[in-house]
Amino acid sequence: MAINPKKHEMPTQNAAERAKNFREVALGYTEEIAVAEAQRCLNCKNRPCVEGCPVNINIPDFITKIKEKDYEGAYKVIYGSSSLPAVCGRVCPQETQCESKCTLGIKFEPVGIGRLERFVADYHNAHSSEIPEAEKSNGHKVAVVGSGPSGLTCAGDLAKKGYKVTVYEALHTAGGVLVYGIPEFRLPKSIVAKEVNTLKALGVDVETNVVIGKTLTVDELFDMGYKAVFIGSGAGLPNFMGIKGESYKGVYSANEFLTRSNLMKAYKDNPDTPIMKGCKFAVVGGGNVAMDAARTALRLGAEKVYIVYRRSMEELPARREEVEHAEEEGIEFKLLCNPVEIFGYDNPENPRDPKNGFVCGIKCIRMELGEPDNKGRRRPVPVEGSEFTLDVDSVIMAIGTSPNPLIKDTTSGLQVNAHGGIIVDENGLTTRSGVYAGGDAVTGAATVISAMGAGKLAAKAIDEYLSKKN
């Protein structure tokens, strides 16, 4: 049978309709499409796709199960390596990881591995009533700080080995960046809740509204009987440009904007924690977070949304799929542009003018690409005399985040690098015995799947460490 050279398209909502609602954009493969896509897999003996997966899912085996229409069997294969299959199938950058290694991709388009993973997870969630059972306790307690992808992965892997795990989450809902950072139209909250409940069934306790470093310290966790601590607190400290006007009303960090919309339900009518909804937004940045913020602003009723990015489309780091969806929805890309100042209303003749202090525009300068930087990307260079102004009333800064210094400042023996990331060895061990870390708290803002890989690695190291102490 001839191989289809192209992966099967993902069904999606109509662009004009979805730009006005928060329902999931991608609708998922049907059973028929999933089986047809699985048939494209060559089932290579050397399995390069597994090497490209940070959590080493046995990809050819789960795809073979799909070919056989054994979808529960496929789920068991995935779940053996990943605690969050429905999440990974939606937000992992498969195109630069497992799919980039696909042998079929040498000649044709690679197998849609991520789409197939999502299909399997969704099928399981829709058809299975099986509840996992907690393993027999091995007598050791482990604390996990943060309920994002690295923390949940570490907790799940340790629970499967009989550890009594408690996850401490600073916010009122478990899920970390999966619930406060990723919009509903990309990752429904119900999906995250389902994955968290599965971990709870394994015996994992989740304590919300606990800020480690404030409510409790790492030292106090050890006093409470925990034998090891994993820090997966993410990178929630937003970065700003330091340009004039960033203090005006209507300037947001992407973290605040997305958290208010996602977790505080600011998208509802008369919300308890509203967002000041402007008519015209400028979103500064070119990553996935910038795409999420821009598309959220559109759904909140913005008349116009710009993405302002200092490099070209070729260097733009967001997933191609998210960029294409944003363009389809009408978001305008201002490429090779960089903000230099934010303007605000200031009427000294009428101090009571309600517009005073609010954003009214953003001044940008055009850029051109020069020599490559230390990451190999051509460095943007300002073009003299090319300044122009965008008429906007809200600006969202989506230029990255850094780890919050709270845990570092309250934990003895913990060292961090110049960027605030916790220093760890190759197994996730920090500079303090019994304390491990992973994900964005170590690397700074990165992908969900890389954070999961770090949580998985640390869980293995914690198990080895505590087994020796037995």
Short mmCIF file of all heavy atoms in Angstrom, two decimals, residues 70 104 258 323 372 469:
data_model
loop_
_atom_site.label_atom_id
_atom_site.label_comp_id
_atom_site.label_asym_id
_atom_site.label_seq_id
_atom_site.Cartn_x
_atom_site.Cartn_y
_atom_site.Cartn_z
N ASP A 70 -6.54 -1.07 19.17
CA ASP A 70 -6.48 -1.33 20.61
C ASP A 70 -6.08 -0.02 21.29
O ASP A 70 -4.93 0.17 21.69
CB ASP A 70 -5.44 -2.44 20.89
CG ASP A 70 -5.31 -2.75 22.37
OD1 ASP A 70 -6.12 -2.21 23.18
OD2 ASP A 70 -4.39 -3.52 22.74
N LEU A 104 10.20 8.69 8.30
CA LEU A 104 9.32 9.03 7.18
C LEU A 104 9.51 10.48 6.77
O LEU A 104 9.35 10.84 5.61
CB LEU A 104 7.86 8.77 7.58
CG LEU A 104 6.81 8.92 6.48
CD1 LEU A 104 7.02 7.88 5.37
CD2 LEU A 104 5.41 8.81 7.05
N LEU A 258 -2.56 36.53 31.23
CA LEU A 258 -3.07 35.17 31.03
C LEU A 258 -3.61 34.57 32.32
O LEU A 258 -4.61 33.84 32.30
CB LEU A 258 -1.96 34.29 30.45
CG LEU A 258 -1.58 34.61 29.00
CD1 LEU A 258 -0.33 33.86 28.58
CD2 LEU A 258 -2.73 34.31 28.06
N VAL A 323 1.32 30.10 15.12
CA VAL A 323 1.47 31.30 14.28
C VAL A 323 0.43 31.29 13.17
O VAL A 323 -0.23 32.30 12.90
CB VAL A 323 2.90 31.36 13.69
CG1 VAL A 323 3.01 32.53 12.70
CG2 VAL A 323 3.93 31.51 14.79
N PRO A 372 25.11 36.79 13.39
CA PRO A 372 24.51 35.83 14.32
C PRO A 372 24.97 36.07 15.76
O PRO A 372 26.11 36.48 16.00
CB PRO A 372 24.99 34.47 13.81
CG PRO A 372 25.36 34.70 12.38
CD PRO A 372 25.87 36.11 12.32
N LYS A 469 19.31 4.90 51.31
CA LYS A 469 19.18 5.25 52.72
C LYS A 469 18.32 4.25 53.50
O LYS A 469 18.20 4.33 54.72
CB LYS A 469 18.56 6.64 52.85
CG LYS A 469 19.42 7.76 52.30
CD LYS A 469 18.83 9.12 52.59
CE LYS A 469 18.91 9.47 54.06
NZ LYS A 469 18.48 10.84 54.36
#
